[in-house]
């Protein structure tokens, strides 16, 4: 690429707030927090995709393509002119190829440069309540919620979906948890936490 080519944008925002304090003086305390993160970054990747001629079955100038249905003298026979007739193209493969962009670079390898935006959003919520019933009894209750979404336009690579453009990945993750505890002091040497 040329040094004058603009650098694809990258934006990251992280923000949050926490509020807490006594709800009942010397008895009940609360804490509520939120944290959010937004990431938007451009990704550029190159792919090897079939040319328009290849999609139509024309492989002239390429290694020989043999007709699996034509055998003469115990040998497979090549397609005439290295062109697969349109009637012999698999309709499922043709439909899948229609979803893949055409090359925008010369050649038959690494012939497509694609730029897309990866997006990530994360939200975390927490709330906690502490209460002292008396000097020997205290309790707390906590709730947490996590919500994240990730859009990877070229996939993660784990499933090899990044071998073809246009087959990205959307991942959503949510979790919630609740925790509580009650502590009772029986004596200076005996304590129970439930």
């Amino acid at each position: 690429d040329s040094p004058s080519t603009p650098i694809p944008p990258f934006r990251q925002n992280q923000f949050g707030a926490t509020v807490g304090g006594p709800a009942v003086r010397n008895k009940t305390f609360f804490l509520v927090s939120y944290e959010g993160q937004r990431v938007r970054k451009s990704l550029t990747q190159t792919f090897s995709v079939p040319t328009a001629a290849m999609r139509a079955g024309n492989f002239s100038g390429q290694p020989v393509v043999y007709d699996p249905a034509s055998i003469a003298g115990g040998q497979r026979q090549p397609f005439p002119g290295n062109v697969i007739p349109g009637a012999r193209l698999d309709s499922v493969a043709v439909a899948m190829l229609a979803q893949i962009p055409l090359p925008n670079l010369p050649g038959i390898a690494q012939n497509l440069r694609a730029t897309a935006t990866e997006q990530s959003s994360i939200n975390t919520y927490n709330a906690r309540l502490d209460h002292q019933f008396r000097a020997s009894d205290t309790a707390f209750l906590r709730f947490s919620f996590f919500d994240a979404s990730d859009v990877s336009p070229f996939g993660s690579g784990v499933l090899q979906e990044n071998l073809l453009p246009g087959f990205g990945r959307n991942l959503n993750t949510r979790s919630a948890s609740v925790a509580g505890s009650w502590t009772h002091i029986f004596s200076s040497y005996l304590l129970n936490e439930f």
Side-chain angles (χ1 to χ4, degrees):
D1 284 343
S2 166
S4 63
T5 303
I7 296 172
F10 173 78
R11 291 185 181 89
Q12 178 172 328
N13 303 99
Q14 190 166 355
F15 45 88
T18 302
V19 176
V24 176
R25 185 179 169 123
N26 295 330
K27 286 283 185 186
T28 307
F29 299 88
F30 75 96
L31 177 75
V32 178
S33 69
Y34 165 77
E35 184 175 348
Q37 182 178 21
R38 306 290 181 269
V39 178
R40 306 288 182 265
K41 64 180 174 179
S42 294
L43 302 176
T44 301
Q45 193 162 334
T46 56
F47 300 92
S48 297
V49 296
T51 64
M54 290 174 170
R55 295 169 196 235
N58 185 345
F59 290 88
S60 55
Q62 303 301 317
V64 177
V65 177
Y66 291 95
D67 183 352
S70 175
I71 298 177
Q75 298 291 322
R76 297 175 297 151
Q77 298 301 305
F79 283 104
N82 224 19
V83 176
I84 302 170
R88 298 279 303 277
L89 296 175
D90 182 61
S91 61
V92 174
V94 170
M96 187 182 100
L97 285 171
Q99 303 302 313
I100 298 171
L102 286 166
N104 58 14
L105 298 172
I108 62 168
Q110 300 297 306
N111 57 359
L112 173 70
R113 181 181 300 125
T115 301
T117 303
E118 182 177 53
Q119 302 177 25
S120 175
S121 297
I122 300 172
N123 296 297
T124 306
Y125 306 88
N126 292 292
R128 179 172 169 139
L129 190 65
D130 289 85
H131 184 73
Q132 182 173 9
F133 295 98
R134 52 188 166 271
S136 59
D137 286 289
T138 58
F140 83 84
L141 182 63
R142 185 191 72 231
F143 173 76
S144 298
F145 182 73
F146 176 81
D147 180 26
S149 67
D150 184 59
V151 177
S152 298
F154 302 131
S156 65
V158 174
L159 302 174
Q160 299 299 318
E161 73 274 22
N162 62 349
L163 295 175
L164 297 172
F167 294 89
R169 177 196 72 170
N170 292 349
L171 178 65
N172 294 306
T173 306
R174 287 190 173 150
S175 66
S177 68
V178 176
S181 174
W182 171 41
T183 303
H184 178 74
I185 301 172
F186 289 98
S187 66
S188 60
Y189 58 90
L190 184 61
L191 175 134
N192 181 59
E193 183 174 10
F194 174 76

